[in-house]
Amino acid sequence: MAHAARLLAALAALLAAAATGDARPSKIAVVGAGIGGSAVAHFLQQHFGPRVQIDVFEKGTVGGRLATISVNKQHYESGAASFHSLSLHMQGFVKQLGLRHRREVGGRSAIFNGENFVLEETDWYLLNLFRLWWHYGISFLRLQMWVEEVMEKFMRIYKYQAHGYAFSGVEELLYSLGESAFVNMTQRSVAESLLQVGVTQRFIDDVVSAVLRASYGQSAAMPAFAGAMSLAGAQGSLWSVEGGNKLVCSGLLKLTKANVIHATVTTVTLQPTEGKPLYRVRYEDEVGTGSDSYDIVVIATPLHLDNSSTIAFEGFDPPIDVVQGSFQPTVVSLVHGYLNSSYFGFPDPKLFPFANILTTDFPSFFCALDNICPVNISASFRRKQPQEAAVWRVQSPQPLLRSQLKTLFRSYYSVQTAEWQAHPVHSPHTPLPRFTLHDQLFHLNALEWAASSVEVTAVAAKNVALLAFNRWYQDLDKIDQKDLMHKVKTEL
């Protein structure tokens, strides 16, 4: 019955739209061709059909914060390096595009506090568990239970989206997943939340802080919701795309047959019209300036006050608010050289056993150090031995000084860097923004102010595509619905 009712409602909406000669939008603009922009272009075409023209504006290279750097004719990830096994949208894209998971080359991890290793991984799973218990009691189990509870509730979003439900604001989306508990988690710190469930301060200082520094470049003072999503990534099995993660973005745009315009969008202006609004998008490219009109506009790039390239919005009453917050700079340095294992307490480099080093708050000049593999791995590939020259990925808050490079490396052949405005500076005081800026104007990146990862951005892309579709056909029962778990159960 519920299926029949939904079908009739959808038919009624389509008939009403057809009667006004306005069955579907003719042109949609997407600003940004990172994972958010390419995913939303794909989802918009899924919903509105292949005849809708989708223009994707990108001032840089397709892929955004998914990018690679070439070292010695091999390519290495310089942006988001891997994804969690529960990243269902990303898994779906890879399958749809005929891409493959990259073969994983194992390596041991350790946590360094500036003087010595506070925790060292071994090749034996049970010994690793014993060491965690010996150092920290059952804190690691309490952390795991806390993270699993958050993830179990967050995974509801896929069911909601499969049934066509969307949310106009970040708070509404979080509330539908975990009610006030999730909203409260954006307003209190990771440390506060973990202490409440019995995790010790020592475990937070040694282990939790190291994971958050490696993934967000931030501390356990960051909000609990973003922290939980980051800690989930440290616990699950991780994967990446053979040939480079950015292939997902270029693949989705090609699949969508989107028209990619290499230009910087400067203004979005609301044009005076009767009926549905129309937006004029102005842009600058190498030739000069241009503009075009669109029925729907999706901003798939950060909008915040300290972003010098923020888009101006004109003709809106009331004016459109931009998020009052800042972004965390992260510098990724790919260093081809010989690690200075003596700095980590191993005078003989042959005995250095670790491929991944996380840090606590104390060696403040770098957050993480990884012996990385290229994006294409042959069957005969082996990880470099510690005494050999390897490509190391160093994450740091600022560009590394020559003296800092000499601290970490005995010698090196090359250093190549990528500087990212990687994540919002997550603060309990930042208000949660909205996806809907105007009737058919949306901001996809609103969700990264609650949590920031590639999969969270893909979830936001699906939400915005559904939001645009439901608003276009005035299917308001599918927007900001309460008690969705009960509704979805009855619809199954």
Side-chain angles (χ1 to χ4, degrees):
M1 284 294 288
H3 273 303
R6 280 176 56 221
L7 192 60
L8 285 170
L11 280 170
L14 286 167
L15 287 169
T20 60
D22 201 14
R24 62 168 65 84
S26 60
K27 290 178 79 175
I28 298 174
V30 175
V31 183
I35 189 60
S38 49
V40 81
H42 167 67
F43 288 135
L44 283 164
Q45 194 206 51
Q46 264 189 351
H47 292 296
F48 285 112
R51 284 191 286 171
V52 173
Q53 181 184 323
I54 299 176
D55 289 349
V56 178
F57 293 89
E58 176 52 61
K59 63 181 178 183
T61 53
V62 168
R65 287 175 274 187
L66 296 182
T68 57
I69 287 177
S70 176
V71 182
N72 272 6
K73 298 180 182 175
Q74 294 266 37
H75 292 276
Y76 297 85
E77 297 289 357
S78 61
S82 55
F83 313 114
H84 193 277
S85 55
L86 295 177
S87 299
L88 299 191
H89 284 319
M90 287 302 289
Q91 295 271 28
F93 298 153
V94 166
K95 196 172 178 182
Q96 227 174 335
L97 296 169
L99 297 170
R100 290 179 305 164
H101 285 202
R102 194 175 79 189
R103 181 168 71 84
E104 282 304 310
V105 180
R108 286 158 61 181
S109 301
I111 298 174
F112 184 65
N113 71 357
E115 293 180 0
N116 48 53
F117 289 107
V118 294
L119 192 63
E120 300 178 23
E121 190 181 27
T122 72
D123 292 326
W124 302 90
Y125 176 71
L126 288 175
L127 182 54
N128 292 334
L129 285 182
F130 176 76
R131 283 185 169 189
L132 277 169
W133 173 79
W134 182 257
H135 286 294
Y136 305 107
I138 60 167
S139 280
F140 70 98
L141 284 175
R142 286 177 169 151
L143 171 74
Q144 205 164 356
M145 287 165 66
W146 181 76
V147 169
E148 281 176 5
E149 187 185 348
V150 172
M151 286 307 293
E152 193 180 327
K153 289 177 179 172
F154 181 77
M155 297 297 284
R156 293 171 177 172
I157 192 66
Y158 299 106
K159 194 169 276 188
Y160 297 167
Q161 292 185 338
H163 284 74
Y165 290 102
F167 304 92
S168 55
V170 173
E171 189 165 336
E172 289 85 345
L173 185 148
L174 293 180
Y175 191 87
S176 78
L177 298 173
E179 298 186 326
S180 53
F182 266 21
V183 178
N184 291 341
M185 283 177 73
T186 66
Q187 294 157 8
R188 58 195 309 218
S189 71
V190 175
E192 190 184 345
S193 298
L194 289 178
L195 288 168
Q196 196 171 17
V197 296
V199 175
T200 64
Q201 187 66 54
R202 185 181 167 210
F203 186 78
I204 293 167
D205 291 343
D206 286 0
V207 181
V208 173
S209 293
V211 172
L212 297 179
R213 273 169 65 79
S215 53
Y216 276 119
Q218 293 170 48
S219 73
M222 72 184 294
F225 183 76
M229 301 296 279
S230 167
L231 291 159
Q235 291 185 4
S237 57
L238 301 177
W239 60 276
S240 51
V241 178
E242 175 72 20
N245 296 328
K246 66 181 182 182
L247 293 180
V248 173
C249 301
S250 53
L252 287 173
L253 292 173
K254 195 174 176 183
L255 183 70
T256 307
K257 295 186 173 65
N259 177 32
V260 179
I261 300 168
H262 292 283
T264 301
V265 171
T266 55
T267 57
V268 177
T269 306
L270 178 61
Q271 295 184 272
T273 55
E274 287 184 18
K276 289 187 187 293
L278 202 59
Y279 305 97
R280 180 155 285 274
V281 174
R282 286 188 176 79
Y283 56 90
E284 292 175 358
D285 58 18
E286 288 178 351
V287 180
T289 60
S291 69
D292 213 336
S293 294
Y294 296 92
D295 300 300
I296 297 170
V297 177
V298 177
I299 311 293
T301 186
L303 289 176
H304 55 285
L305 282 182
D306 66 352
N307 183 357
S308 58
S309 60
T310 289
I311 298 157
F313 296 100
E314 296 176 353
F316 294 90
D317 186 21
I320 285 171
D321 282 335
V322 175
V323 178
Q324 310 273 335
S326 58
F327 266 59
Q328 175 76 38
T330 296
V331 180
V332 172
S333 304
L334 297 193
V335 183
H336 180 214
Y338 297 89
L339 187 74
N340 178 19
S341 57
S342 295
Y343 174 65
F344 299 102
F346 287 82
D348 184 352
K350 289 180 186 170
L351 300 177
F352 188 79
F354 306 116
N356 315 100
I357 300 166
L358 285 72
T359 66
T360 62
D361 293 339
F362 299 106
S364 56
F365 73 93
F366 79 103
C367 299
L369 177 69
D370 302 292
N371 179 344
I372 58 172
C373 303
V375 297
N376 292 103
I377 294 181
S378 63
S380 60
F381 178 86
R382 65 170 181 83
R383 196 186 285 280
K384 297 283 188 191
Q385 296 300 305
Q387 71 273 20
E388 296 178 295
V391 176
W392 292 84
R393 172 183 159 123
V394 188
Q395 282 174 254
S396 56
Q398 279 96 30
L400 294 170
L401 303 173
R402 191 185 172 95
S403 60
Q404 292 166 339
L405 282 163
K406 288 199 161 186
T407 299
L408 294 175
F409 297 94
R410 284 184 289 136
S411 63
Y412 51 87
Y413 297 108
S414 66
V415 181
Q416 293 183 70
T417 60
E419 293 193 36
W420 302 109
Q421 293 292 310
H423 306 285
V425 175
H426 291 283
S427 161
H429 310 297
T430 306
L432 295 172
R434 302 190 65 70
F435 297 106
T436 306
L437 299 178
H438 190 255
D439 186 29
Q440 291 295 338
L441 173 64
F442 306 99
H443 185 213
L444 187 151
N445 291 57
L447 190 53
E448 69 180 339
W449 291 91
S452 179
S453 74
V454 172
E455 181 64 14
V456 166
T457 303
V459 164
K462 181 69 173 176
N463 179 68
V464 164
L466 285 168
L467 193 54
F469 184 77
N470 294 339
R471 287 178 74 100
W472 185 266
Y473 291 117
Q474 289 297 296
D475 192 359
L476 303 183
D477 288 345
K478 287 294 181 70
I479 301 172
D480 296 337
Q481 278 292 337
K482 301 284 190 288
D483 194 22
L484 267 186
M485 273 314 287
H486 176 71
K487 277 192 175 66
V488 167
K489 277 177 188 168
T490 57
E491 284 182 15
L492 286 172

